[in-house]
Structures are given as C-alpha cells and as structure tokens.
Amino acid sequence: MGFSASDYIDDLLGQTNYLPPDIFIDDREIPEAKNAYEFFYDPRFIQNCMPPKGLFVRQLQILTNLYAEYCPRCTDMKWFESIDVNESEENFLQKVCLLEYGVCPHCGATKSELYNTGELNVYTQEVGLAGQRSGKSALVSMSMGYTTHKFLKVPNLQRTYNLIPTSPFTMPLVAMSQQKAQENLYNALAAYFEQGNWFKEYTNFLRENQDKYNLEIFAIKETFTRWRHKNILIMPLGPDKRKLRGNTSLAGCVDELGWMIAGQEGGIKFDASEIYASLNNSFMTAKEAYLKLVSEGYSNLPAPMLFNISSPSSKKDKICQLYEESKYDKYMYGFHYATWEINPNLPFDGPAMTSERNKDSRKFWRDFGAVPPNSSNSFIPDLDLFKPVIRGQNICKVNKVTHFIGGQEFTYGKLVVPREETQKPNRILAIDAGYKFNSFAFAVAHLESDFQTKEKMVCYDALIEIIPADTAPLDYSRIFSETIIPMIKKLNIRLVAADRWQSIKLLSDIDNDRSLKCKTFTHSLKYKGFMDYKDSLMAKLIRFPHPEIKWEQIELAGNDSYPYGFEGKPVSHFIFQNLTVEDKMGKTVAKGEGTTDDIFRAAVLAHHCLTQEPDFKHLFKGFSFGSAGGGRAVAAVPNQGGNNNGGGSSSICALPTGWVNRF
C-alpha cells in the first residue's frame, strides 16, 4: 500500500503525545502502557516477569504518586494517602482513579491541567528512605523498565526534548562499585528487556528493521544496553563522578546512596554529595524541557527521573539529606518506610523481624526500621550509657563575646565562676582549639580514687566550648587572656594539655608565665586513648556534669542549625558528639559527617593524661571515696577528719566544701 497523506494526518491526530511519529523506525503498532499499573499487570507488557501475587500495595502507591498517574478529583485521597500495607490490589483500583495516557477516564482532566492548577505534582526525582528487604532494588528495576518503555515510545526523542538529532541520552545505574551496579540493578533490568513480553515484541520488531536496513538498531549486552535508534545508552557504573559528568540523562538511579560514605573504590575516590551532584546535573536539560512541555499540554510524555532509594547509615548521610530536601522541593517525591510498612510478608511482630530485633536492637532499627542513627559506625552506641554517670553541673561557664579588629569581627569568651570553692582538687585543663568552623573546647577534670579497691575515677568538673559565628573566627589572644588564664588561676589547674594543632603558641605562653605554676603537655590522641576512655565509661569509672536539656532533646538539638542548636548547652553538645563520632575500624575515632568533635576530643585527652601518663601521677593523687550501701558513692572527697566508725566508708555525698549548694 502506498503512502496516504490523509491516513497519516488522521493517525497523527489520534496520537496521545500530539507528536509526529518516527518515519525511519515507525513503532506505532507496538502498544504503549496507559499507566504503570497496566505495564506491571497486563500480560502484554511485563506481567510475566512479576511475582505471582503482583506488587505490594505500597509499591503501587509509590509508583502512582511518583509518575503522577492519578486524578486527585476522582480519587479517595484520604484513603490513598493513608493506605494500609495489607490492603488489596482490588480495593486500590476501586479507591484510586488512575490516569490513562495522562487523562482521567472519569472527568476528562489531563495531567497538564492538574499540574497547571496545582492539584497534582509532577516529579523528576524519587527519594526513598526504606528498610532492608522491603523490595528497594526491585522497585528501582521495575521503575526503570517502565520509564525505558515510555521513552522508547516517544517519537522524535531528541527533537521533543529540544536537542540536536545526534545528541546521546544516558541512563546510568550507579552503585558502590560497577560490579554491584551490575548485580543489584542492571541484571534485573536486562532480564526485563530479554524476557518481558512487551520488550520481546519490541526487540523482535527492531530485528525486522535491522534485517531490512542491514544495521544494528539495538544491543542488549552483559554490561550495557543500547537503543541506537533513540540514541539511549543504559549502563552500570561505579561511583566515579568523572564518568557521570557531561552526559544528558533521561533516567538513572543510585543504589544505597546512604552508604556511599566518603572513601575509595578501585582506586577512585568517591563522595556521595559529589556523585549525586554530578548525576543530578546531567538531568537538567531534559528536566527543564519536560516541565515546559507538560505545562503546555503534553500530558503523556514521560518525566526524566532520577531514582534514589536507600536504607540510612546515619542522620547526616546523603539519602537523609535528600529526604529532608524532598519536603520542600515539589519536584522531588520522598517517602520514608520501615521494611514492614512496604513488605507485608515481613511484619514487625513476625518471627523474622522479632529475631533480628532481639539480636541487636540498634542495628535492627537502622537496617529494617529505616531509623537513621546519629552516625554510621558510632563509637558510643547508646545515650543511656551516660545516665548512670552524671552528677552535678558545670562549675563554670564561658560567655561568648564578639569584637572588631581592623574591621574584622572575632569571637572569644569570658570565664564566669558562679561560686568560689573553699577546697579545690588538682585539675587538668585539656583544650581542643578550632578557629573558624570548629569550636574552641575545654575539658576540666580531676582524679578520684577508691581507697579500698584503688580504682580511679575521672571526674569532669566542666565541659565548655566557644562556638564561633560564621563570620567571626576565634580570637586566640583574647581566649588566652580572658578564658584560659582565669581558668588556671581560679580552678587550680596544674596541667594544661593540648593536641599540637593550633595550640603550640598557647602552651608556650603558659610555660613562660612562671606565676601560673602550671605544667603543659602536647599529645596527639591514638586509638588506644579513645578505647581507654570508652572502657572507663562502660565500667562507670567516669563522671560528667548534667546536660542542660532533657535527654530526649539532645539528639533533636543536633538537627537544629547545627551546631548552633547547642549554643549555651556545651554538656549536651558533648554527649551528642559522643554519639556521632565514628570508629574508623580500629585506626582512629573521627567526627561524624556534618558534625564536630571538639569537646569530645578535649575530654578524651583529659582522661588520657589523668590515667595513662606516668609523668603526671604526682600531680593527681586524687580524693578518696568508698562504698555505701553496697553501691558506689555518689561523689568523693578527702576525709575531713570526722569519725567514720572504723568502717572505711565516706559520706554518700561527700562533696568538697562549697560544692553542695551548687548541686
């Protein structure tokens, strides 16, 4: 049959995209799914590759939201927004009115109309925070299969998205390594291409055209898939930002973004933020073109889509950051579900989840509950470890002051000691000196000893910091004169210790002032020093001042414009830092992502000097304390000469004179 202009025009007017078909490879006879539900449930598409019982209803909800394929006017929105994980597919279809080729079959509203009126969000990015075994990777593979089929059905792809005809499109699948990307993402997607009914029909059609034109139109290989007639390349990649830059992407995904903690893989240094930025930037061209087209009335065009689904490693990891961003960015679809909130086959109180919960509660809530801990590999695992070792308050504080020098604003602190002590133990002052972004931290401590067991207890009298403003770095000179020198004189400091970083000048000035009668010591903490501190905490041979805020508020304060949510709350910040610093596999302990560790390091340094440095033992012989009622004394002081009835025990609350009212 010859070419008929009238038939061509009639066919063009019947197209859902209102775009002219490809004349070279005319695939109009190949069906296009009217929505994601049909793609996964109709035998013509990839229903033959789906689980026997189909998708979880939560997966249906996620996909329907993500692709904006429902009519908010005709859907029971209250039901749709609060679907129970055990709901049926049949009930879903009764309550949710699915768009068909971007049009509501009931009221006739189009996706473009609903988008322009603000009734329906269209998304170009998915941010899923979900527990392990919830079907995260399967959901990404299925989504990529649906998205690929939609783009293959867009005629004149480059022209539609306003690119020159030879412009290539990529669909990168990124994981911790190229091998993981292939195993976890690409292999499942390639299986859809090879076994799914729709893709088999489509590739058979392309083979006929290959024979006709004697050229390769497509290739599905072990390590990549190329749809040459659309100039689309799909490939698994490792976390190499160099390979992600410069491309124009239509779809792509990052597997377990929350666990891409800065490191190195195969000789390539990677960072989650840089990987995400490189990949996200590659979508800008297609995203901008799509949003313009959908606003102009093209309701059945697929959206360029970046998929990010991961379980969390910590509150500061990249997936948690993106989830917070999704609350304010209308083009990012974010969701946060525990394993049992997506997968009804693994209920919270079932035997599998109960077993995991009993093994390790903290890991269970991180891995399956998708509750991010403060750190991916916490050095101190639990806030409750601090509750039994708290007594008293900071014996002093530092008021932050700012002033100008030559037009530049600087920060320092003035020491305030509310009550003068009548008896003072010999103390150490350990400092950790920041400058612009980190705080200047102080830990004041002394040693106490049980005269029966000879056990030593490190007691922290004050944990303090000066947090500099963004535009006002620390003034070391004023901190020395207004904070450190008064501390030495008023708190009976006999040793000032510091790491070598930023502290040599301060220690030298102390050494040169003979009136201070104070020694100095420089020491760079090693891993053993951190472990000694942790052992003392676990053994309850340590005492800290009471935090300034309630226990349940400490972790929340870490989310409030960090670190300024801890302004004026140094002990609370110290406890928070204990929970967020990370154990680097037996090598060192380092600050967690997006947090600081200044007070923590000062405290550990004080502990090391009091317990592990033989040259200073004579300075800190310690007060004596004993047992009372079978338990450790609440506090400890030297005997004041009173009669203890020969029992060898001290007062239960035997604090140095002048301390009692303060506690």
Side-chain angles (χ1 to χ4, degrees):
M1 181 181 293
F3 175 76
S4 168
S6 61
D7 289 346
Y8 179 82
I9 293 172
D10 288 341
D11 187 73
L12 174 60
L13 293 175
Q15 294 297 307
T16 58
N17 282 325
Y18 311 114
L19 295 169
D22 291 317
I23 296 177
F24 178 58
I25 304 293
D26 186 356
D27 62 5
R28 283 174 292 170
E29 297 300 320
I30 307 297
E32 176 186 353
K34 57 190 176 185
N35 49 45
Y37 177 85
E38 183 177 59
F39 184 74
F40 295 118
Y41 280 88
D42 192 307
R44 292 178 301 169
F45 297 96
I46 63 167
Q47 181 264 347
N48 63 308
C49 295
M50 290 292 99
K53 294 184 179 180
L55 302 176
F56 302 141
V57 73
R58 181 76 70 208
Q59 292 175 326
L60 274 176
Q61 179 195 32
I62 290 170
L63 291 169
T64 303
N65 264 312
L66 178 64
Y67 291 113
E69 291 183 339
Y70 67 95
C71 175
R73 298 174 184 175
C74 302
T75 293
D76 183 342
M77 292 303 297
K78 185 177 180 181
W79 185 92
F80 182 52
E81 291 171 352
S82 57
I83 291 176
D84 185 86
V85 69
N86 293 302
E87 274 289 357
S88 66
E89 169 207 335
E90 292 77 14
N91 210 19
F92 180 89
L93 293 177
Q94 291 178 7
K95 298 285 187 178
V96 181
C97 181
L98 297 174
L99 301 183
E100 297 180 0
Y101 305 112
V103 181
C104 176
H106 290 174
C107 70
T110 67
K111 181 184 291 188
S112 295
E113 175 190 344
L114 296 169
Y115 169 65
N116 288 331
T117 60
E119 296 171 80
L120 184 67
N121 285 340
V122 296
Y123 299 106
T124 59
Q125 188 168 169
E126 178 185 51
V127 180
L129 192 57
Q132 293 182 10
R133 313 312 306 165
S134 60
K136 298 190 303 297
S137 297
L139 186 62
V140 168
S141 298
M142 289 187 292
S143 300
M144 283 291 296
Y146 177 62
T147 298
T148 301
H149 128 275
K150 293 290 283 187
F151 277 113
L152 289 175
K153 286 296 295 178
V154 174
N156 299 297
L157 191 55
Q158 277 71 13
R159 184 177 299 175
T160 299
Y161 286 90
N162 199 28
L163 292 169
I164 60 175
T166 56
S167 293
F169 284 121
T170 61
M171 293 187 180
L173 312 176
V174 183
M176 293 287 286
S177 67
Q178 184 171 350
Q179 181 179 353
K180 289 184 181 297
Q182 179 154 346
E183 293 173 352
N184 298 338
L185 299 171
Y186 179 77
N187 287 349
L189 182 58
Y192 292 143
F193 295 160
E194 292 174 337
Q195 301 171 26
N197 286 337
W198 185 88
F199 286 105
K200 285 196 292 186
E201 180 181 358
Y202 192 78
T203 53
N204 286 336
F205 163 76
L206 293 182
R207 286 191 184 94
E208 292 175 4
N209 281 272
Q210 285 186 155
D211 295 339
K212 177 179 178 181
Y213 294 108
N214 194 29
L215 57 82
E216 184 184 71
I217 297 176
F218 79 100
I220 302 173
K221 305 293 186 181
E222 284 191 7
T223 56
F224 72 90
T225 292
R226 182 188 295 278
W227 307 100
R228 187 180 293 275
H229 65 304
K230 299 291 185 180
N231 216 354
I232 294 174
L233 176 64
I234 304 173
M235 54 188 171
L237 292 171
D240 188 348
K241 63 183 180 183
R242 298 170 299 178
K243 294 182 179 180
L244 301 174
R245 287 178 175 169
N247 298 322
T248 299
S249 297
L250 289 175
C253 60
V254 186
D255 186 47
E256 293 293 4
L257 181 63
W259 290 90
M260 284 191 175
I261 303 161
Q264 187 160 321
E265 181 74 33
I268 301 171
K269 291 184 178 180
F270 65 90
D271 178 89
S273 294
E274 292 182 350
I275 293 165
Y276 170 78
S278 298
L279 194 53
N280 187 49
N281 291 344
S282 71
F283 281 82
M284 292 300 181
T285 302
K287 174 182 175 181
E288 189 67 25
Y290 168 75
L291 294 175
K292 183 175 184 293
L293 288 165
V294 76
S295 69
E296 292 176 349
Y298 292 86
S299 294
N300 193 39
L301 282 178
M305 191 69 68
L306 173 57
F307 301 95
N308 304 286
I309 302 184
S310 177
S311 57
S313 64
S314 76
K315 288 181 179 178
K316 301 294 183 180
D317 69 28
K318 191 61 184 178
I319 196 68
C320 290
Q321 292 175 21
L322 292 179
Y323 178 68
E324 291 301 314
E325 289 179 26
S326 74
K327 297 176 182 178
Y328 309 101
D329 189 330
K330 67 178 182 178
Y331 300 115
M332 298 173 73
Y333 174 60
F335 62 85
H336 184 188
Y337 292 119
T339 299
W340 52 89
E341 292 175 320
I342 296 180
N343 186 349
N345 299 324
L346 290 172
F348 174 78
D349 54 359
M353 290 292 99
T354 300
S355 174
E356 292 299 324
R357 192 164 61 252
N358 290 339
K359 288 178 186 176
D360 188 325
S361 176
R362 180 177 174 274
K363 287 184 178 180
F364 168 82
W365 284 106
R366 180 195 67 189
D367 295 343
F368 299 101
V371 177
N374 286 300
S375 171
S376 60
N377 192 20
S378 299
F379 179 64
I380 304 296
D382 198 333
L383 181 71
D384 288 341
L385 291 171
F386 291 90
K387 295 179 180 179
V389 295
I390 295 297
R391 79 171 186 200
Q393 310 292 332
N394 268 345
I395 65 170
C396 62
K397 65 178 182 177
V398 171
N399 290 335
K400 190 166 79 170
V401 181
T402 60
H403 70 131
F404 287 87
I405 302 176
Q408 169 66 55
E409 189 176 19
F410 288 89
T411 304
Y412 68 98
K414 282 184 172 291
L415 181 71
V416 177
V417 181
R419 292 180 177 86
E420 190 67 29
E421 300 169 280
T422 57
Q423 185 169 352
K424 305 172 185 177
N426 287 356
R427 293 181 172 121
I428 182 174
L429 168 62
I431 62 178
D432 190 90
Y435 178 63
K436 188 174 182 180
F437 299 108
N438 295 325
S439 302
F440 199 116
F442 309 86
V444 178
H446 69 276
L447 203 61
E448 296 182 358
S449 299
D450 186 306
F451 68 89
Q452 288 182 327
T453 66
K454 306 303 181 184
E455 287 183 311
K456 289 181 171 60
M457 179 183 292
V458 175
C459 298
Y460 291 89
D461 304 290
L463 296 163
I464 298 169
E465 69 177 337
I466 303 171
I467 303 176
D470 287 340
T471 57
L474 296 167
D475 183 340
Y476 272 48
S477 178
R478 283 294 187 94
I479 289 174
F480 180 78
S481 62
E482 302 289 344
T483 310
I484 295 176
I485 294 301
M487 275 187 180
I488 293 173
K489 292 180 177 179
K490 293 184 178 183
L491 303 182
N492 197 33
I493 302 298
R494 289 293 173 261
L495 178 67
V496 177
D499 197 326
R500 291 172 174 83
W501 170 246
Q502 296 277 31
S503 305
I504 296 297
K505 175 67 165 60
L506 296 176
L507 298 183
S508 178
D509 290 344
I510 293 170
D511 284 333
N512 292 333
D513 189 341
R514 295 182 179 275
S515 68
L516 296 177
K517 299 178 181 178
C518 179
K519 295 181 180 295
T520 64
F521 181 59
T522 58
H523 177 75
S524 292
L525 287 166
K526 304 296 189 295
Y527 187 71
K528 182 180 182 302
F530 292 107
M531 290 305 299
D532 290 338
Y533 164 84
K534 184 176 181 178
D535 289 344
S536 291
L537 175 61
M538 297 295 187
K540 299 182 176 61
L541 293 175
I542 205 163
R543 292 292 182 269
F544 301 111
H546 202 284
E548 301 86 354
I549 57 180
K550 294 180 180 179
W551 292 101
E552 60 270 20
Q553 294 176 335
I554 290 176
E555 295 185 71
L556 296 176
N559 296 327
D560 185 14
S561 301
Y562 187 83
Y564 301 106
F566 287 109
E567 192 81 67
K569 309 175 186 71
V571 181
S572 303
H573 193 193
F574 161 74
I575 294 173
F576 178 82
Q577 288 180 350
N578 275 262
L579 300 173
T580 56
V581 292
E582 297 182 349
D583 189 336
K584 296 297 185 181
M585 303 301 292
K587 295 180 179 179
T588 188
V589 174
K591 67 183 71 175
E593 185 176 355
T595 62
T596 59
D597 62 352
D598 312 274
I599 319 178
F600 167 78
R601 293 185 67 87
V604 175
L605 179 59
H607 181 276
H608 171 82
C609 293
L610 289 174
T611 61
Q612 303 298 323
E613 290 293 338
D615 291 346
F616 305 118
K617 282 187 176 181
H618 66 286
L619 295 176
F620 308 107
K621 293 183 178 179
F623 291 102
S624 296
F625 65 88
S627 300
R632 187 172 303 286
V634 173
V637 294
N639 256 319
Q640 302 297 316
N643 184 1
N644 64 13
N645 298 321
S649 63
S650 64
S651 169
I652 292 179
C653 189
L655 298 170
T657 306
W659 285 17
V660 175
N661 292 334
R662 188 159 48 249
F663 303 145

